[in-house]
Amino acid sequence: MIDLIMKDILGTPAILVGLFALIGLLVQRKNTGDVVSGTLKTIMGFVILGAGANVLVQSLGQFSSMFNEAFAVQGVIPNNEAIVALAQETFGTATAMIMLFGMVVNILLARFSPFKYIFLTGHHTMFMAALIAVILTTGGFSGASLVILGSIILGTLMVLSPAMLQPFTRKVTGSDDFAVGHFGSFGYLIAALVGKAVGKGSKSTEEIKVPKSLSFLRDTSVSVSLTMAILFFVVAGAAGPAFVQGELSGGQNFLVFAFMQGLTFAAGVYIILAGVRMLLAEIVPAFKGIAEKVVPNSKPALDCPAIFPFAGNAVIIGFFFSFIAGLVSMLFLPLLGLKVIVPGLVPHFFTGAAAGVFGNATGGRKGAIIGSMANGVIISFLPALLLPVLGSLGFQGTTFGDADFGVVGIVLGNLIRMVESNGIVFAVVLGIIALLFFLGARSKANGDKENPDTDIA
């Protein structure tokens, strides 16, 4: 039964989001038709988003194979799904319990603290629960203390992560309707701050002027198709026709294959955006029921693609420059005695794109470029620094990819290493959490004074 609830229901993001929409519509006492329609459309929006992501991931997989063949790259490839799958063999029960009670802590904190966010990115909740379970178990925690401390840490992250980004999320979206609930938030925060520091006077990526003869490039789908087709041509040429036609395309000409993969990537982006639009159209009104009745003034914290429609050009710019930063970082990691982290195209696309959107919001084109490069460096070095605290999982050839996993794992893992007593670790962690809430509440209060007409939380 626990497996059914945790893995098949709460572990399925579309169903989790659909359940919240259902609850929101029921507490608003909508008629049966609206409840059924709103719930199913919310789930469909998430399914469409996932389908687009799968199309995109398959295309990126082909790109990655050609890239590895062309440049003979060897090293650790960050992949959240892969390392969580490995972790479940040993830490499955602890992960499930931390995830379940972490969601309860999230709702309680949203109800009784100034930070009114319900974290709805279910797969990232599970990934973070797995990381916390691995670190705490490796550090000697077990039983009730493991679940209690893990749940408090997870629930805290689920409200503070969207809260620290919300001033910038509101700048991206122009509203306070939803938050970003994604554990790449540290990279997005740095991108937004870097954009603010370097982008004074820089025009938005969405105001790029092109000659009339090239006006078709204003269509995001067309510009993404051409950009990715050129990139695929380059790596296909570097990998060689023999490899592409022998190993990947099933005999199809390597240039035709590269062209179609570039367009497949663009189709994946198009599907993602369509899914996000449907999801937002349903989940935001439905969530008002929860906000008004269960957790007053709460906001849904959604997966990072939720902000992609607000700056389509920044999405591609962010991906491109985050990936370049990942390639450059490969040269410096061995010099510092760290494992080489091979840039994963999936994390660089999703977190790089989101970093580009945040960087553009605070610093225009300069912010999008340099902010996303900062994200690329972060998701190269943090996974390398995380490896030593993952215990036996650190030798499996993969690691967690997104920024927050690195920050949480490194801080928690090294704290446990330095402090031998579990009781003291427990107390120190609670003290850190209390300090974070205090600083966050004070920052919110200052923000309210400076902007009395807006709600920072």
Side-chain angles (χ1 to χ4, degrees), residues 9-28:
I9 298 178
L10 298 182
T12 303
I15 295 179
L16 177 65
V17 175
L19 282 174
F20 275 92
L22 174 65
I23 294 169
L25 292 167
L26 287 175
V27 298
Q28 291 181 78

Side-chain angles (χ1 to χ4, degrees), residues 20 23-24 27-28 102-120 155 158-159 176-177 284-301 455 457:
F20 275 92
I23 294 169
V27 298
Q28 291 181 78
M103 293 171 74
V104 173
V105 172
N106 176 195
I107 293 172
L108 290 174
L109 290 174
R111 177 68 178 84
F112 297 108
S113 84
F115 307 110
K116 307 292 185 184
Y117 302 99
I118 306 294
F119 196 99
L120 295 180
M158 292 167 78
V159 293
D176 218 15
D177 290 339
V284 172
F287 206 81
K288 287 182 180 176
I290 295 176
E292 292 170 357
K293 301 289 177 62
V294 182
V295 184
N297 301 317
S298 62
K299 297 177 180 63
D455 176 15

